[in-house]
């Protein structure tokens, strides 16, 4: 059973790594980053809503309306920021660069946890932050002069890492009262609400109709959000969370490979070394407790 659980985690990471592929195709069809975020959130919450309406309606129950504050945090402040800025980073840079900048999240979580949860800053944690910083600099091309990415691309990438990191922070509070399924459903719901307000839903639906993209859009929601979430949760039921998160580190590698093979994005030795450093830093974070005992 454990081998199957590992396969579930690997499959989830591969599917998450394909977000950039779907985003690139959607962009070529005329959808803006906000359009794409609205589509991903709306169709994900719709699919999950239909699925759990049949399987278990208890996931929709909240103890109090006041608890929506948790999901404003996970859905609007964190997931929406991560979703929009990650897609914008892919547009401005490349799938590989955007994915690696996203993986600044563990270091961001570590820093925020010092202030929010009074966790200790150790020598290993400081080393991890330094390694992550150097790795990100290599990936962005700052040591290559002419090949450096734009400041906008770098900013979007770091913002995606902040949004991704904040999800873990807000989620830590929400999970004290609710199951992971409930948290994810209301996260998608709040994100859908935000992008419905700041976006143009009627125009987006019109674009989908004109481009005959319904199958693509449903596939996007299924394969970039719903299915990987189900796979990851299934895998977590049999293996430790720390091991699962280490395995999931293949996500940015998958994104980089897709970018190079399908979209002919440039890759060189320094970028590969930067990827290795960032992934190595994430692995060290996941093993920090064992290293410091």
């Amino acid at each position: 059973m454990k081998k199957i659980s590992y396969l579930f985690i690997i499959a989830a990471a591969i599917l998450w790594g394909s977000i950039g592929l779907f985003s690139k195709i959607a962009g070529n069809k005329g959808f803006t980053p906000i359009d794409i975020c609205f589509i991903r959130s709306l169709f994900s919450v719709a699919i999950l809503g239909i699925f759990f309406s049949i399987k278990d309606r208890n996931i929709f129950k909240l103890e109090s309306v006041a608890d929506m504050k948790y999901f404003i945090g996970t859905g609007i402040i964190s997931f929406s920021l991560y979703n929009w800025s990650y897609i914008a980073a892919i547009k401005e840079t490349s799938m590989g660069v955007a994915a690696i900048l996203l993986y600044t999240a563990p270091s961001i979580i570590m820093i925020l946890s010092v202030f929010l949860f009074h966790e200790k800053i150790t020598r290993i944690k400081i080393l991890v932050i330094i390694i992550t910083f150097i790795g990100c600099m290599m990936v962005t091309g700052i040591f290559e002069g002419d090949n450096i990415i734009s400041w906008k691309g770098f900013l979007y990438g770091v913002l995606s890492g902040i949004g991704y990191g904040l999800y873990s922070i807000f989620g830590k509070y929400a999970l004290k009262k609710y199951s992971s399924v409930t948290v994810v459903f209301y996260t998608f719901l709040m994100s859908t609400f935000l992008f419905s307000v700041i976006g143009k839903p009627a125009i987006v639906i019109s674009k989908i109709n004109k481009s005959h993209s319904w199958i693509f859009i449903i596939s996007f929601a299924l394969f970039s959000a719903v299915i990987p979430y189900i796979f990851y949760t299934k895998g977590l039921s049999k293996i430790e969370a720390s091991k699962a998160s280490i395995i999931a580190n293949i996500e940015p590698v998958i994104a980089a490979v897709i970018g190079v093979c399908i979209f002919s994005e440039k890759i060189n030795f320094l970028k590969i070394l930067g990827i290795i450093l960032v992934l190595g830093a994430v692995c060290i974070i996941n093993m920090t407790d064992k290293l410091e005992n």
Side-chain angles (χ1 to χ4, degrees):
M1 286 299 292
K2 265 200 171 184
K3 288 183 179 178
I4 295 174
S5 295
Y6 283 120
L7 289 175
F8 276 134
I9 300 295
I10 291 169
I14 291 172
L15 290 173
W16 277 323
S18 71
I19 291 173
L21 172 61
F22 284 104
S23 298
K24 287 263 190 182
I25 295 172
N28 292 336
K29 288 178 178 287
F31 294 100
T32 67
I34 288 180
D35 292 342
I36 297 169
C37 291
F38 170 71
I39 288 166
R40 188 169 181 239
S41 299
L42 174 65
F43 285 88
S44 295
V45 79
I47 292 168
L48 285 172
I50 293 168
F51 178 77
F52 286 108
S53 290
I54 298 169
K55 187 179 179 182
D56 182 11
R57 294 184 181 181
N58 287 324
I59 74 126
F60 304 125
K61 292 181 179 177
L62 297 179
E63 294 180 19
S64 168
V65 176
D67 288 343
M68 287 302 293
K69 63 179 179 288
Y70 299 127
F71 309 118
I72 289 172
T74 60
I76 293 179
I77 298 174
S78 56
F79 179 76
S80 295
L81 174 63
Y82 143 65
N83 205 9
W84 171 77
S85 53
Y86 183 48
I87 291 169
I90 290 171
K91 185 178 179 181
E92 286 287 330
T93 59
S94 68
M95 288 175 61
V97 170
I100 285 301
L101 291 175
L102 173 66
Y103 267 61
T104 57
S107 294
I108 293 167
I109 295 170
M110 208 160 49
I111 294 168
L112 290 175
S113 294
V114 173
F115 300 100
L116 296 175
F117 306 117
H118 307 294
E119 293 182 4
K120 294 180 180 179
I121 277 285
T122 64
R123 283 177 292 181
I124 290 177
K125 289 180 179 179
I126 292 171
L127 176 64
V128 163
I129 292 171
I130 293 171
I131 292 173
T132 301
F133 179 75
I134 294 172
C136 285
M137 292 301 99
M138 288 181 173
V139 169
T140 60
I142 197 168
F143 300 122
E144 300 165 50
D146 295 337
N147 294 323
I148 188 170
I149 67 170
S150 68
W151 67 268
K152 282 175 67 177
F154 181 77
L155 178 62
Y156 287 142
V158 172
L159 279 174
S160 71
I162 292 172
Y164 193 69
L166 285 174
Y167 185 84
S168 296
I169 300 295
F170 288 117
K172 191 167 184 176
Y173 291 107
L175 287 168
K176 289 178 180 179
K177 297 187 72 173
Y178 298 102
S179 70
S180 58
V181 180
T182 299
V183 172
V184 168
F185 174 79
Y186 281 103
T187 294
F188 282 142
L189 184 64
M190 294 306 295
S191 180
T192 301
F193 170 75
L194 174 67
F195 289 115
S196 296
V197 173
I198 66 175
K200 299 176 180 177
I203 294 176
V204 174
I205 299 301
S206 176
K207 284 182 183 178
I208 296 173
N209 282 327
K210 286 181 180 178
S211 59
H212 305 290
S213 302
W214 285 103
I215 293 176
F216 167 75
I217 295 302
I218 293 171
S219 298
F220 181 25
L222 274 172
F223 293 109
S224 76
V226 178
I227 293 176
Y229 164 73
I230 293 171
F231 278 175
Y232 194 76
T233 306
K234 189 78 175 174
L236 280 176
S237 66
K238 296 295 179 182
I239 63 176
E240 296 89 341
S242 59
K243 288 183 180 179
S245 61
I246 292 171
I247 296 168
N249 289 345
I250 66 171
E251 177 190 342
V253 178
I254 297 297
V257 170
I258 291 173
V260 171
C261 295
I262 297 180
F263 298 106
S264 302
E265 293 178 353
K266 292 181 180 180
I267 192 76
N268 56 35
F269 174 74
L270 277 180
K271 283 189 171 70
I272 293 172
L273 182 58
I275 288 171
I276 293 170
L277 284 176
V278 174
L279 294 181
V282 174
C283 289
I284 292 172
I285 290 172
N286 285 305
M287 295 186 292
T288 294
D289 291 338
K290 290 182 179 179
L291 290 170
E292 292 179 346
N293 285 334

